[in-house]
Amino acid sequence: MATTVTTWTSLLNPFFGVFTQPGRVIFMRLTVGWILCTVRRTVTGILPFADPVGTQAHDAYHRFFPDARWRMDKLWQQLMRLLVAAFCRTGPITLALDDTLFHHSGKKIDGAGWWRDAVRSSKNKHISAWGLNLVVLTLQIQPPWGGEPLGLPINMRLHRKNQAGLIELAQQMINDVMQWFPERRFKVVGDGFYAPLAGKKRAWTTIISRIQCNAEIYDLPTQSKRKKKSAGRPRTKGKRLASPEKMAPRVKNWRTVEVCERGQMRTRLVYTQVILWYRVLHQPILLVISRDPKGKEKDDFLFSTDVTMDPATVIGDYADRWAIEDTFKNTKQFMGGQQPQTYKGQGPERAAGLSLWLYSMVWLWYLLQKNNKRTFMVPPWNPYKSAPSFADALRCLRRELWTERIKAMFEISAVHDKNYEFLIEALAAAA
C-alpha cells in the first residue's frame, strides 16, 4: 500500500534525518501503527496497523528498537526545537521534572529492576514493583483554551541499578536542553526529591522546588564591623534561623496574593524571606511559605533560586508541575507506554522513550491544526466539558489517519458515505 501524505507524515519530516533510509520507512509506519493500534502495543500488535499488507519483513520492525541505527536524543532535540518555535518563542522556558515507573514482566528486560512504586506506596507503606525507572523532563505550555497547562516530554533517561543516580540524570537532561538553546533562560520545577539540583544549577537557570520542612537554614551574613586588617575570613552565613515548619507559626506579617494554580485563581497567604540553605547551596534563595486562608490545607514550603521572583509565580509554577503526572497517566493509559515487549539492549529504553515522544507529538499535531481539526465532541454524559483532553486529541488524529487510509484502500477521493463516516468514528474512538 502506497504511503499517504497526511498532516501527520508532514510533521514527521524534520525527524527523518535521524534515521537511515530504510529506518525512515519503518519509523513512519511504526508511529502510525502505534497511534491506530486497538490492541496491546507490542510490536506484533502494532504490525497489522503499521504495515497491513506486509510490504516488509516483520523482523525488521522487531529489530527497530534494540538494533537499528538511530539515536533517541536526536529525536528529543528536534522535538524540542519544534515545540519552542510553536509555543515558547519569547520569555523563560518552563520545564518540569519527575520520575516514573513503567511496569514490566519478565526478568530478562535490559535496565529493569525493583523500584519503589510511587502510585501504590504511601508515607508509611513502601511497595516495590519490577520495571523501568524513567526520569522525564517536560516542557510546560499553556494551551489556547486556557486552564491547566500541558506537560510535553522533551527528554528522558533510564535509571539503572549501580549507575548514575536520579539527580545526576536530571542534571544531564537539563544540560542537554541548555546546549540546544544556549541563549534562553529556563525555569526547572521539581518535587522535593529534586531540590538538590539547586546546588548544581547553572547560569540562566532557576530551580523551583519544595524545601524540607525541617531544613537547616540561615540568615544572610552581615557586614563585619571589625578592621579590614583583622585575621580571619569573612562570614559565609548569618545566624541560624528556625526551620520553615517552626517559622510558619511565628509569622505575623502574612501577605494576601492571588495565585493561578493549574488554571484556577486562588487566594493564598504568603510569607517570603531571602535565606541560605547552606547544605544545598551557598548562594541566597527565596523561601516562600504558602498558607490556605481557610486553614483546610497544610502549609507549603517552597523555594526559588531567583530571589527576585514573585512569590505568586513560585506557587503557581510549582502547582502547575502536576501536569507531568497527567502526562505519565495518559502515556500509560492511552499510548500503552508499558506494553512493548522488547527485552534486549537499547530496546526497552527506546520503546519507553518513543511512547513519551509520541505523547508530545500527538499534542503538537493537535495544537497546530486549524478550524474543525481542533474541535472535539462533547460527550452527552458531560455537557459541561469545555476543554479537550489527550483522548480527544488522539481521537482527532486517528480520525484523519483512518480517513486517509480508507480513501487509499478503496481508491476514492473523498469519504462522504454515512457507512464510512460511522466506521471512521468507531475506529477513531477505539483503543
Side-chain angles (χ1 to χ4, degrees):
M1 184 175 63
T3 301
T4 304
V5 178
T6 63
T7 54
W8 174 254
T9 54
S10 299
L11 190 61
L12 293 181
N13 282 336
F15 300 93
F16 287 164
V18 178
F19 305 93
T20 61
Q21 182 61 37
R24 295 174 190 173
V25 178
I26 295 175
F27 166 70
M28 183 173 63
R29 289 175 177 168
L30 269 178
T31 57
V32 173
W34 195 311
I35 290 167
L36 297 182
C37 184
T38 59
V39 296
R40 282 179 59 83
R41 287 176 175 81
T42 61
V43 175
T44 304
I46 292 172
L47 265 178
F49 301 88
D51 191 2
V53 296
T55 56
Q56 197 156 2
H58 69 89
D59 56 337
Y61 295 93
H62 286 279
R63 291 196 303 266
F64 180 78
F65 289 114
D67 301 320
R69 292 171 52 192
W70 59 281
R71 291 172 54 183
M72 194 70 218
D73 61 325
K74 294 297 182 182
L75 284 182
W76 289 128
Q77 182 178 4
Q78 185 59 44
L79 172 63
M80 182 65 173
R81 294 190 184 282
L82 292 177
L83 292 173
V84 169
F87 309 114
C88 307
R89 295 185 179 181
T90 59
I93 299 174
T94 303
L95 308 175
L97 180 71
D98 205 354
D99 55 275
T100 186
L101 179 64
F102 271 29
H103 295 263
H104 280 279
S105 60
K107 294 184 178 181
K108 296 184 179 180
I109 301 174
D110 190 273
W114 286 99
W115 307 98
R116 179 179 181 272
D117 189 344
V119 175
R120 294 188 291 172
S121 298
S122 62
K123 184 178 180 180
N124 301 319
K125 188 177 182 181
H126 180 94
I127 296 179
S128 297
W130 179 260
L132 303 177
N133 192 15
L134 308 177
V135 193
V136 182
L137 191 66
T138 62
L139 174 68
Q140 302 284 99
I141 68 168
Q142 190 64 42
W145 53 83
E148 294 190 39
L150 302 176
L152 307 183
I154 48 90
N155 211 337
M156 188 212 77
R157 290 286 192 279
L158 174 62
H159 181 207
R160 298 173 180 266
K161 293 286 187 180
N162 303 318
Q163 294 189 21
L166 295 173
I167 300 295
E168 184 178 346
L169 294 174
Q171 184 64 29
Q172 291 174 11
M173 292 192 292
I174 296 170
N175 290 340
D176 285 347
V177 177
M178 291 184 66
Q179 290 175 5
W180 301 339
F181 299 91
E183 74 286 354
R184 300 295 297 272
R185 297 183 67 95
F186 293 91
K187 293 190 294 183
V188 180
V189 187
D191 62 16
F193 178 84
Y194 293 96
L197 283 173
K200 305 175 183 294
K201 84 178 191 74
R202 299 175 59 180
W204 309 104
T205 305
T206 299
I207 305 296
I208 300 171
S209 183
R210 286 187 185 274
I211 189 172
Q212 294 175 348
C213 59
N214 61 346
E216 185 180 313
I217 59 177
Y218 296 86
D219 200 354
L220 301 183
T222 56
Q223 290 286 346
S224 176
K225 296 181 180 179
R226 59 189 176 182
K227 297 181 180 179
K228 293 183 179 180
K229 294 184 179 180
S230 60
R233 65 182 178 87
R235 297 188 62 178
T236 57
K237 56 187 177 182
K239 65 178 182 178
R240 174 81 178 267
L241 300 175
S243 66
E245 187 178 39
K246 294 181 179 179
M247 181 187 296
R250 306 175 189 175
V251 174
K252 303 297 181 183
N253 54 335
W254 293 98
R255 193 154 55 94
T256 303
V257 297
E258 294 295 321
V259 180
C260 182
E261 298 183 11
R262 300 174 62 187
Q264 296 183 354
M265 297 304 299
R266 298 185 61 192
T267 301
R268 307 291 291 184
L269 299 177
V270 300
Y271 171 78
T272 61
Q273 185 174 345
V274 178
I275 61 167
L276 286 172
W277 192 9
Y278 205 72
R279 287 179 179 239
V280 174
L281 178 65
H282 292 182
Q283 297 176 1
I285 62 173
L286 179 67
L287 170 66
V288 179
I289 303 178
S290 173
R291 173 170 288 183
D292 178 13
K294 299 179 181 179
K296 295 182 179 180
E297 302 174 11
K298 294 182 178 180
D299 293 342
D300 276 334
F301 306 105
L302 311 175
F303 76 89
S304 169
T305 54
D306 181 1
V307 296
T308 64
M309 199 168 180
D310 179 37
T313 304
V314 175
I315 299 170
D317 285 345
Y318 187 81
D320 289 346
R321 187 197 67 86
W322 187 257
I324 196 172
E325 304 295 344
D326 290 333
T327 297
F328 294 154
K329 183 195 72 172
N330 290 330
T331 302
K332 296 173 183 180
Q333 181 176 347
F334 295 108
M335 298 306 300
Q338 303 176 115
Q339 296 170 4
Q341 294 179 323
T342 176
Y343 305 122
K344 298 187 301 181
Q346 304 175 82
E349 183 176 2
R350 280 178 166 180
L354 193 63
S355 68
L356 292 162
W357 179 88
L358 276 170
Y359 177 85
S360 293
M361 287 293 290
V362 171
W363 269 127
L364 176 61
W365 174 89
Y366 184 73
L367 295 171
L368 291 179
Q369 303 311 300
K370 306 294 183 183
N371 302 326
N372 63 328
K373 298 291 186 178
R374 187 174 288 176
T375 61
F376 65 99
M377 297 178 64
V378 178
W381 58 86
N382 188 9
Y384 301 104
K385 184 175 181 178
S386 59
S389 63
F390 177 72
D392 296 316
L394 187 60
R395 187 179 296 115
C396 286
L397 177 55
R398 283 173 170 168
R399 185 182 297 117
E400 173 171 303
L401 293 177
W402 277 121
T403 299
E404 295 301 326
R405 177 165 290 191
I406 289 173
K407 286 164 59 176
M409 289 173 61
F410 295 99
E411 298 181 352
I412 54 179
S413 59
V415 179
H416 296 303
D417 187 278
K418 290 185 177 180
N419 292 327
Y420 284 125
E421 293 178 359
F422 177 81
L423 174 62
I424 291 171
E425 288 301 324
L427 291 170

